[in-house]
Amino acid sequence: MASFKITGDRRLKGEIVPQGAKNEALQIICAVLLTKEPVTIHNIPNIRDVNQLINLLGDLGVRRTRLSETSIRFEADDINLDYLESDSFRQKAAALRGSVMLLGPMLARFRKGRIPRPGGDKIGRRRLDTHFLGFEKLGAEFSYDEEDGGFYRVDAANLKGTYMLLDEASVTGTANVLMAAVMAEGTTTIYNAACEPYLQQLCKMLNRMGAKISGIASNMLIVEGVNELKGTEHTMLPDMIEIGSFIGLAAMTQSEITIKDCQIPELGIIPDVFKRLGIQMEFRGDDIFIPAQERYRIENYLDGSTLSVADAPWPGFTPDLLSIVLVTATQAQGTVLIHQKMFESRLFFVDKLIEMGAQIILCDPHRATVIGHNRETQLRGIRMTSPDIRAGVALLIAAMSAKGVSIIDNIEQIDRGYQNIDTRLNAIGAEIVRL
């Protein structure tokens, strides 16, 4: 188990380029299974979850040609379906939550699939019902056998288009069902679909491959099934979660940072939420400039009541940034209620922030009230463990703003979602040592 040793209380200065979007990558890379023709993907983040998925595709028989540090050409013309029965597949797919999105493309092209119960972050229940209910609506039949190593087996010999109302606007569920529907017979209507920019990117890519998807960017997708798809070329968006993390980091450490190439129109309300915390920023073309701020003040509502920041399906605020908002608020002037609606265990890292000196009241598994220090009391360095990707980076931001030295254990969780984060931050003035 690796660790970070962070010397805090350092101001950063410089430019930083966000990596390609992790959540988009997991969908887009699975989609290469939909065609025999080459698919070239650019701006791929070099992170653990994505690399594990790429290696898993290689084990399935997908040929991969690295064109540059961030670009790969995939060719899935000779897939070894027997590999799905192997212990190697069970172990590797179970360790990666994104592996569940292999099912949609496999059902579309091969009319069958097999996947173990996936792993991932320990952030509460993350049910797969939306995926399987959608597949069933299309005519697939699935079974789960605990004695067979905990595998889901899916038979999709007769995929037919249909109308479905998803039980939740799940991003991965929408993506998975969408990829199965593009080659189903007839027309499929997916209502209550997720419409995140990552999902829009997948729709646009599939249409370039020959799919017929309309309603992109809305919560109703209409898919006319086609017989086959062709190859394409696709460039992924910058990671909006990393962009938000850098905004919070700049404020907490009183640093002057320019975040490059952000594709600002795709960020939705993310900049506005950080502005409501009092964080100044300037849009310079497609870059976001964060000036060094001595203090920042949380806004109240117009009637004077306490600001509440809650997650919601897009175009609402992404749940992946609530931990960043929470830690950033600890040094603001004012009070904010953080309401994590989707995952009941994602706020449990706040005990470490409290140990560092933050004033946080954990109201219940979903809500925490943060009373900002207004920089009158500095956080102090401690030893802690990263429970998941986003909490890990929130703790890293806290440690970088704290007085003294902090140790963060289990940084493999951070590496799952953030590419060479220590090297990139050290380049603009941080002092992070990987142990």
Side-chain angles (χ1 to χ4, degrees):
M1 183 183 293
S3 303
F4 280 151
K5 178 182 178 183
I6 304 107
T7 302
D9 202 17
R10 295 177 64 92
R11 296 196 180 194
L12 316 183
K13 186 171 184 177
E15 297 180 348
I16 193 161
V17 180
Q19 67 190 25
K22 167 186 178 282
N23 291 341
E24 179 183 345
L26 298 176
Q27 305 176 139
I28 295 296
I29 290 170
C30 288
V32 306
L33 288 174
L34 286 165
T35 180
K36 296 180 179 180
E37 297 184 14
V39 176
T40 300
I41 303 176
H42 304 290
N43 202 27
I44 298 174
N46 179 22
I47 55 178
R48 202 178 84 182
D49 275 13
V50 171
N51 292 336
Q52 284 181 332
L53 182 59
I54 291 171
N55 291 335
L56 188 58
L57 287 175
D59 292 337
L60 275 166
V62 178
R63 297 198 308 279
R64 300 150 295 159
T65 305
R66 186 164 288 279
L67 307 177
S68 71
E69 186 177 344
T70 60
S71 298
I72 299 176
R73 183 173 64 244
F74 297 87
E75 296 174 82
D77 56 337
D78 186 19
I79 298 301
N80 176 19
L81 293 178
D82 291 338
Y83 179 69
L84 299 176
E85 306 295 329
S86 68
D87 286 339
S88 172
F89 175 71
R90 179 180 59 81
Q91 293 170 6
K92 291 183 178 181
L96 176 66
R97 182 156 191 93
S99 65
V100 71
M101 281 183 288
L102 294 170
L103 270 181
M106 286 195 290
L107 300 185
R109 184 170 162 198
F110 304 110
R111 294 309 199 242
K112 63 180 179 180
R114 189 172 191 254
I115 201 80
R117 184 189 294 273
D121 286 330
K122 306 303 181 187
I123 56 176
R125 294 169 294 172
R126 303 179 75 181
R127 56 191 178 85
L128 299 176
D129 300 55
T130 304
H131 302 248
F132 288 117
L133 290 172
F135 294 149
E136 283 187 320
K137 288 279 190 179
L138 292 171
E141 298 178 357
F142 79 94
S143 60
Y144 177 72
D145 190 348
E146 190 72 49
E147 295 180 0
D148 187 25
F151 269 97
Y152 294 100
R153 290 182 177 273
V154 190
D155 175 24
N158 297 298
L159 283 183
K160 293 186 182 296
T162 186
Y163 171 89
M164 66 179 75
L165 173 63
L166 298 186
D167 65 328
E168 64 172 347
S170 162
V171 177
T172 56
T174 302
N176 223 352
V177 174
L178 176 68
M179 288 188 282
V182 291
M183 295 169 70
E185 179 184 342
T187 300
T188 300
T189 299
I190 306 173
Y191 194 32
N192 195 31
C195 57
E196 272 78 354
Y198 306 141
L199 208 290
Q200 297 174 37
Q201 286 280 95
L202 176 64
C203 291
K204 293 171 185 176
M205 174 184 170
L206 294 174
N207 278 350
R208 289 196 303 273
M209 296 171 71
K212 296 180 179 179
I213 304 168
S214 59
I216 298 172
S218 78
N219 67 346
M220 179 179 283
L221 297 175
I222 299 173
V223 187
E224 297 178 42
V226 298
N227 292 327
E228 63 179 6
L229 297 180
K230 59 186 179 181
T232 191
E233 192 166 346
H234 180 81
T235 300
M236 292 194 295
L237 292 173
D239 196 307
M240 67 170 74
I241 312 305
E242 196 171 72
I243 292 169
S245 301
F246 293 150
I247 293 173
L249 169 66
M252 276 285 282
T253 58
Q254 299 173 280
S255 299
E256 181 182 300
I257 296 176
T258 299
I259 311 169
K260 302 290 290 183
D261 305 326
C262 294
Q263 296 209 24
I264 293 169
E266 303 292 345
L267 296 178
I269 66 170
I270 289 172
D272 293 327
V273 171
F274 283 101
K275 286 178 180 178
R276 298 206 75 174
L277 296 183
I279 299 171
Q280 299 171 18
M281 64 186 76
E282 299 174 18
F283 295 160
R284 298 179 174 179
D286 221 16
D287 302 340
I288 299 178
F289 172 72
I290 314 293
Q293 284 184 251
E294 291 300 320
R295 299 180 188 274
Y296 48 101
R297 180 177 180 177
I298 298 170
E299 294 181 4
N300 289 331
Y301 288 116
L302 292 176
D303 64 358
S305 58
T306 299
L307 178 69
S308 176
V309 178
D311 57 337
W314 192 268
F317 191 64
T318 172
D320 283 344
L321 279 174
L322 277 184
S323 57
I324 307 300
V325 169
L326 187 151
V327 73
T328 304
T330 62
Q331 286 299 331
Q333 178 184 352
T335 299
V336 62
L337 174 67
I338 305 297
H339 192 172
Q340 170 63 265
K341 297 177 181 177
M342 294 176 64
F343 303 111
E344 69 272 10
S345 303
R346 218 170 195 177
L347 295 179
F348 287 167
F349 76 99
V350 302
D351 62 333
K352 301 303 180 186
L353 297 178
I354 293 169
E355 189 178 343
M356 296 177 79
Q359 295 186 52
I360 304 171
I361 301 168
L362 186 60
C363 309
D364 55 47
H366 291 276
R367 296 177 302 161
T369 300
V370 184
I371 300 132
H373 283 312
N374 194 23
R375 299 206 192 279
E376 293 175 0
T377 304
Q378 192 171 4
L379 300 182
R380 55 184 176 271
I382 64 168
R383 186 162 199 144
M384 44 199 161
T385 299
S386 171
D388 65 72
I389 300 174
R390 309 309 175 187
V393 169
L395 295 175
L396 177 62
I397 292 171
M400 292 176 65
S401 72
K403 183 177 182 180
V405 174
S406 297
I407 304 289
I408 302 178
D409 297 318
N410 194 30
I411 60 168
E412 289 83 0
Q413 287 286 356
I414 298 174
D415 288 337
R416 286 179 49 214
Y418 291 81
Q419 171 181 310
N420 304 323
I421 190 68
D422 50 335
T423 305
R424 295 157 69 205
L425 292 177
N426 286 342
I428 58 172
E431 189 173 333
I432 305 170
V433 178
R434 185 179 291 262
L435 305 178

